[in-house]
Every structure is written in structure tokens, then in C-alpha cells.
């Protein structure tokens, strides 16, 4: 009989690789990608198959222990972990199977963005995935799934054909357009960890694509007038550009680089055409570095992913913009990053382009609510030493209400505990239907967390 050190709790019944506070692997096991999150779970169970997941759920219910579900460890506010909880970690479930005849790719619950991109690229396929390499592809998809390919290929959730999930009873549920179709709808946009533990997802393969063009334009030592013009230009172009291109714009205040702007883009076409698309941006700056290179799709994705650090200490969130912000509102946003928090090395306002095929999906097909938005507006602060965590969190908390006032709702994959009326912010008019489905598939509230349904 194995027990948790310092308690009388019996671990019998748990299968997979079980880690507790008494184990040497615990400290590394509890770490999140966002190192600002300091949580101390009671048990971490690394599941290798659906049976391990089933046993973990039933063990947690038997011992009345709160459950959290984890894969890539990238939850912005740490809701995939917690103090004195059982973490069901699916990161070791990472099998992928492709059926080119049927035009599908099936992935296990622990597959990350990088592995999925590499696997498909070897066979000539792009994917509407995210940019950070260590993000779990399933969690990314359950929250809707924004990416640089979204304007061409749609949201990640739009490509889903079928989902396998273990529910609160430990039973396997298959959800698609025919079986458990309301659950299938709910899973596509409501965020991870709401209804059960997703063990696999089957996606429709997109058309093959050999090459794409990576766009990178960085402006240094910028003045306020340039920032205003850039923001306005972005708002216009993201509405008029072709579906083959998407952009992220960051207007930043960095300890290392000072005040600058970074435009990153992915274009499914050649460099000459890309130069024509970004010409309005190039005309705005006086000191910039421009890189426009056509390469293989996997090379582009590797570059975008490798731009992310191994980990960060940060506070961030993102909201949907449905109408162009006014010059006055843009000034307010830029004022908010004029001064960084104590200990901060980077503060930014960022825009993640929506539109294109992301608009084409239906509210009847997926619970993702804000597909008609122009872009996602993000705000973040990054620091190196956690002695400055409180100051940076306060910095964000002071600025976030202003962003709430000028935006329509919040992206569930960019969550924040500071969000007012979070259910309405994340789900809009879908919140009541989602709550009803939650009661059907998780009547005991096994999969509850700080901002769950």
C-alpha cells in the first residue's frame, strides 16, 4: 500500500506514473510554463492510456479531492494546477495517426503543437494550430484555437471531426455530429477541463501546402505618432487583406530594446506578393528591420515557435475587438504601457488578427462565440524575478478594466482571474446552453475550477 507522506490517504487504485510531494520528481512536476504560478498539488498522475485516466477520476472522487487536467502546462492563470489537488496529466499520451485516404489526423490528448506540426509537415500538410511549441494541441483546440493560419484554414476547433472523452463516471464518451452532438458543440470553444478528460481528437486534414512566407518587421525607437499610425493601419488591413495572410502586432516597451513595434505575419504565397501586402506598414516607420522570406511551411512554423522562450514569468490576457478602436482609445492603451511595473522587463499591447475563414464557421457548429471579431487585443507584462510578481500583477489589474470597457468579450484561451462576469465574457449568449450541457455531462461538478462553467 502506498500512501501520501504525512497523510492517511491511500494511493491504491491510481495507475500510471504517480508523483507525490515525497518524490524527487515532484518539484519539476509541479512547474508551469508560466513560472509566476506557484501551486502545490497533492498528487500528479501521469496517465499513459484511457484506463489510467479512468482510475484517476474515480480515485479523486472516492477521496473527494479536487481534480485538475493538464497537458502542456500553459494555462495563463494556472487553472490546470492548484494547491492540494489531483492533477491528471496526459502529456505522455502523444500518439498520432494519419489517414490520408480518409483525409484525417487523430491525436492523443498529450500531443503538443510542435509534434503535430512536425508530423504533418513531413507529409506535406499545414495545420491551423498555435504558435507556442509546448502548448497542448487539445487544450488549444478546446478553447477555439487561434493561429497565424486561421484566416486561411479557420479556427482549430473548426477542423474537429470527433472527440473521445472520459467523463466523471469514468466512462468513455465519443462526441461528433451524430453521437453526443450537444457535447461535441460545447467542447469546440468552451475551453479545456470543463466536461471531462479528452483523450483524443480527430481532425480533418487541410489541403497540402509546400511553402509560405514569413513576415517580420520590427520598428525601433518609435514615437507616439508612429504607434498611432501603425495601430490604425493594422485595424484597416486586418479587415481588407486576403484570407491567405494573418498578422500579430505588438507595440512594446522593453527594458532591452526600449519602445518599439513588432509585426509578425504568415502569408500562404510568395515573398513578392507579401511585400505588396505589407507596403502600407513599411511606409510608416523611419527605423526598421524588414524580413520577408519564402520557405517551407514547417520552417515558418519552427521560426514562429522558436521565438518563444522556454518559460516566462508573466501576467497576460486577451479580449475581442468587434469595432475599430478610436484614436483616443489607442492613446489610452499606449499610455498604459508608457511605464512598466517595478521589475518588469517587457510590457506590450498586442493584436492577434481574426477574420477570413474564422468568420465562416457557424454558432450552430461550435460554441466559440466571438468569431466575428476583428482581432484579439492582448495586454501583458513579463518579469524575471518573482520577487516582483505582486507589483506586476497589480500593474495588470489596474489596466485591465480599461481594456474591458473598449472590448466585447474575453478569449477563454487567454484567461485572467480579473475578468468581471467571466461566463458572459467568455461565452456571451452561449453561456446558458453551455451550463445546461455541463449539468448533463458533469452533474457532480468533478471538473470544476476557478473559472469553470
Amino acid at each position: 500500500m502506498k500512501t501520501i507522506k504525512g497523510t492517511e490517504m491511500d494511493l491504491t487504485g491510481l495507475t500510471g506514473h504517480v508523483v507525490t510531494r515525497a518524490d524527487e520528481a515532484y518539484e519539476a512536476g509541479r512547474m508551469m510554463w508560466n513560472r509566476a504560478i506557484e501551486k502545490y498539488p497533492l498528487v500528479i498522475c501521469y496517465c499513459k492510456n484511457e484506463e489510467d485516466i479512468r482510475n484517476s477520476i474515480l480515485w479523486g472522487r472516492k477521496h473527494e479531492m479536487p481534480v485538475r487536467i493538464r497537458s502542456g502546462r500553459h494555462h495563463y492563470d494556472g487553472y490546470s494546477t492548484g494547491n492540494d489537488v489531483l492533477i491528471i496529466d496526459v502529456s505522455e499520451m502523444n500518439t498520432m495517426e494519419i489517414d490520408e485516404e480518409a483525409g484525417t489526423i487523430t491525436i492523443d490528448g498529450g500531443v503538443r503543437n510542435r509534434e503535430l506540426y512536425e508530423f504533418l509537415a513531413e507529409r506535406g500538410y499545414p495545420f491551423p494550430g498555435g504558435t507556442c511549441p509546448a502548448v497542448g494541441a487539445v487544450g488549444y483546440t478546446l478553447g477555439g484555437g487561434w493561429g497565424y493560419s486561421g484566416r486561411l484554414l479557420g479556427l482549430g476547433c473548426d477542423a474537429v471531426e470527433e472527440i473521445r472523452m472520459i467523463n466523471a463516471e469514468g466512462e468513455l464518451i465519443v462526441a461528433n455530429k451524430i453521437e453526443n452532438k450537444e457535447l461535441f458543440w460545447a467542447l469546440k470553444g468552451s475551453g479545456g477541463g470543463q466536461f471531462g478528460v479528452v483523450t483524443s481528437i480527430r481532425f480533418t486534414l487541410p489541403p497540402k501546402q509546400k511553402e509560405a512566407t514569413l513576415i517580420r518587421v520590427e520598428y525601433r525607437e518609435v514615437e507616439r505618432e508612429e504607434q498611432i499610425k501603425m495601430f490604425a493601419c493594422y485595424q484597416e488591413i486586418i479587415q481588407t487583406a486576403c484570407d491567405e495572410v494573418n498578422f500579430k502586432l505588438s507595440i512594446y516597451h522593453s527594458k532591452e530594446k526600449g519602445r518599439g513595434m513588432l509585426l509578425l505575419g504568415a502569408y500562404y504565397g510568395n515573398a513578392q506578393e507579401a511585400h505588396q501586402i505589407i507596403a502600407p506598414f513599411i511606409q510608416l516607420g523611419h527605423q526598421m528591420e524588414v524580413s520577408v522570406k519564402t520557405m517551407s511551411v514547417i520552417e515558418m512554423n519552427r521560426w514562429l515557435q522558436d521565438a518563444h522562450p522556454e518559460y516566462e514569468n508573466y501576467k497576460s490576457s486577451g479580449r475581442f475587438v468587434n469595432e475599430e478602436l478610436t484614436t483616443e482609445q489607442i492613446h489610452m492603451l499606449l499610455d498604459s504601457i508608457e511605464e512598466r511595473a517595478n521589475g518588469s522587463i517587457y510590457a506590450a499591447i498586442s493584436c492577434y488578427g481574426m477574420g477570413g475563414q474564422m468568420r465562416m464557421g457557424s454558432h450552430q457548429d461550435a460554441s466559440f462565440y466571438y468569431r466575428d471579431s476583428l482581432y484579439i487585443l492582448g495586454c501583458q507584462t513579463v518579469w524575471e524575478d518573482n520577487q516582483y510578481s505582486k507589483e506586476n500583477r497589480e500593474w495588470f489589474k489596474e489596466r485591465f478594466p480599461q481594456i474591458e470597457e473598449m472590448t466585447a468579450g474575453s478569449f477563454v484561451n487567454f484567461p485572467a482571474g480579473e475578468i468581471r462576469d467571466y461566463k458572459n465574457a467568455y461565452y456571451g449568449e452561449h453561456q446558458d446552453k453551455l451550463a445546461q450541457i455541463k449539468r448533463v455531462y458533469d452533474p457532480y461538478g468533478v471538473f470544476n475550477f476557478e473559472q469553470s462553467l
Side-chain angles (χ1 to χ4, degrees):
M1 178 185 295
K2 184 178 180 182
T3 60
I4 301 174
K5 185 177 180 180
T7 77
E8 300 300 322
M9 195 165 292
D10 182 3
L11 297 180
T12 302
L14 280 176
T15 55
H17 178 205
V18 179
V19 173
T20 72
R21 293 171 180 169
D23 296 312
E24 185 177 346
Y26 176 80
E27 189 62 22
R30 74 174 186 85
M31 289 292 183
M32 299 292 283
W33 193 85
N34 181 359
R35 292 294 198 265
I37 296 167
E38 291 279 356
K39 299 292 182 181
Y40 296 86
L42 201 59
V43 183
I44 305 169
C45 185
Y46 294 92
C47 299
K48 300 181 183 298
N49 50 50
E50 291 177 343
E51 185 64 18
D52 290 344
I53 293 172
R54 175 183 181 274
N55 292 338
S56 296
I57 293 171
L58 297 181
W59 184 89
R61 289 189 61 189
K62 176 182 178 181
H63 293 279
E64 299 182 341
M65 184 176 294
V67 168
R68 298 292 185 271
I69 305 166
R70 191 179 75 179
S71 176
R73 309 193 191 193
H74 273 260
H75 195 284
Y76 271 39
D77 253 14
Y79 299 162
S80 60
T81 185
N83 293 321
D84 302 321
V85 303
L86 164 65
I87 292 180
I88 300 176
D89 188 298
V90 298
S91 62
E92 295 183 9
M93 296 175 60
N94 44 38
T95 298
M96 293 175 279
E97 295 182 1
I98 190 168
D99 186 337
E100 294 192 78
E101 185 175 339
T104 62
I105 169 75
T106 302
I107 67 169
D108 279 355
V111 172
R112 302 180 305 171
N113 277 334
R114 185 182 292 281
E115 288 84 27
L116 181 54
Y117 276 132
E118 297 283 338
F119 181 82
L120 287 175
E122 288 178 0
R123 294 155 179 84
Y125 296 97
F127 188 75
T131 56
C132 191
V135 166
V138 167
Y140 159 87
T141 302
L142 296 178
W146 180 92
Y148 283 97
S149 301
R151 288 172 59 88
L152 177 64
L153 302 178
L155 295 163
C157 69
D158 293 334
V160 176
E161 288 191 3
E162 185 171 278
I163 298 174
R164 288 168 65 96
M165 184 190 85
I166 306 295
N167 70 3
E169 302 285 355
E171 300 167 338
L172 174 65
I173 293 181
V174 176
N176 51 45
K177 291 182 179 179
I178 299 173
E179 299 179 78
N180 298 294
K181 60 184 180 181
E182 285 201 335
L183 174 64
F184 185 59
W185 173 87
L187 287 169
K188 296 192 297 178
S190 61
Q194 300 277 17
F195 302 95
V197 182
V198 171
T199 65
S200 71
I201 294 183
R202 186 175 75 225
F203 298 93
T204 302
L205 285 172
K208 288 189 175 184
Q209 184 84 29
K210 289 184 178 180
E211 292 185 331
T213 298
L214 175 69
I215 300 166
R216 187 183 188 278
V217 185
E218 186 163 18
Y219 307 77
R220 300 289 183 88
E221 299 179 12
V222 296
E223 302 294 335
R224 175 62 63 92
E225 182 180 354
E226 290 175 288
Q227 294 173 324
I228 293 290
K229 288 180 178 179
M230 185 68 168
F231 206 112
C233 185
Y234 182 90
Q235 290 194 127
E236 178 181 349
I237 288 180
I238 208 64
Q239 296 178 73
T240 59
C242 61
D243 290 359
E244 287 78 12
V245 71
N246 199 6
F247 296 105
K248 174 187 173 183
L249 169 67
S250 294
I251 301 178
Y252 62 79
H253 182 188
S254 165
K255 180 180 179 180
E256 177 185 354
K257 297 181 178 181
R259 292 171 177 82
M261 303 184 295
L262 177 62
L263 181 75
L264 284 177
Y267 173 58
Y268 285 88
N270 61 50
Q272 183 179 357
E273 295 165 343
H275 273 290
Q276 294 174 354
I277 293 171
I278 66 171
F281 292 119
I282 302 300
Q283 296 169 5
L284 298 175
H286 70 278
Q287 184 174 336
M288 71 184 80
E289 298 173 2
V290 180
S291 177
V292 179
K293 295 181 180 179
T294 299
M295 58 190 71
S296 68
V297 170
I298 190 55
E299 286 177 316
M300 181 185 72
N301 283 317
R302 284 172 181 162
W303 195 98
L304 291 168
Q305 291 179 95
D306 291 345
H308 291 78
E310 290 187 17
Y311 60 86
E312 278 186 332
N313 302 294
Y314 69 93
K315 180 66 180 178
S316 180
S317 189
R319 302 268 300 177
F320 292 98
V321 176
N322 286 354
E323 298 179 356
E324 288 189 23
L325 300 185
T326 65
T327 300
E328 181 182 0
Q329 289 173 319
I330 298 170
H331 272 293
M332 292 171 63
L333 290 173
L334 298 175
D335 285 343
S336 71
I337 60 170
E338 189 64 26
E339 297 295 333
R340 300 192 312 272
N342 188 28
S344 172
I345 61 170
Y346 181 88
I349 295 294
S350 298
C351 302
Y352 307 77
M354 295 283 289
Q357 293 303 307
M358 288 184 273
R359 284 178 174 265
M360 296 299 104
S362 166
H363 287 305
Q364 281 69 50
D365 294 333
S367 59
F368 185 85
Y369 186 69
Y370 295 101
R371 61 172 67 248
D372 294 331
S373 299
L374 302 180
Y375 57 90
I376 301 169
L377 178 66
C379 174
Q380 72 176 138
T381 178
V382 180
W383 60 98
E384 292 181 328
D385 192 327
N386 264 347
Q387 68 172 307
Y388 300 112
S389 180
K390 182 177 180 181
E391 290 98 322
N392 279 266
R393 291 180 182 277
E394 286 298 320
W395 181 95
F396 178 88
K397 186 177 181 179
E398 290 172 3
R399 286 153 177 78
F400 191 68
Q402 174 183 284
I403 294 174
E404 283 186 303
E405 290 298 322
M406 62 180 73
T407 50
S410 281
F411 186 22
V412 70
N413 273 357
F414 293 171
E418 291 77 9
I419 295 170
R420 296 172 292 184
D421 189 8
Y422 72 86
K423 291 182 183 180
N424 184 59
Y426 291 144
Y427 311 119
E429 295 176 5
H430 291 168
Q431 60 181 305
D432 290 340
K433 182 178 178 180
L434 284 167
Q436 292 172 4
I437 298 170
K438 170 78 168 176
R439 288 192 291 270
V440 171
Y441 287 92
D442 184 23
Y444 311 109
V446 172
F447 304 107
N448 285 350
F449 49 89
E450 290 85 341
Q451 289 186 337
S452 60
L453 285 162

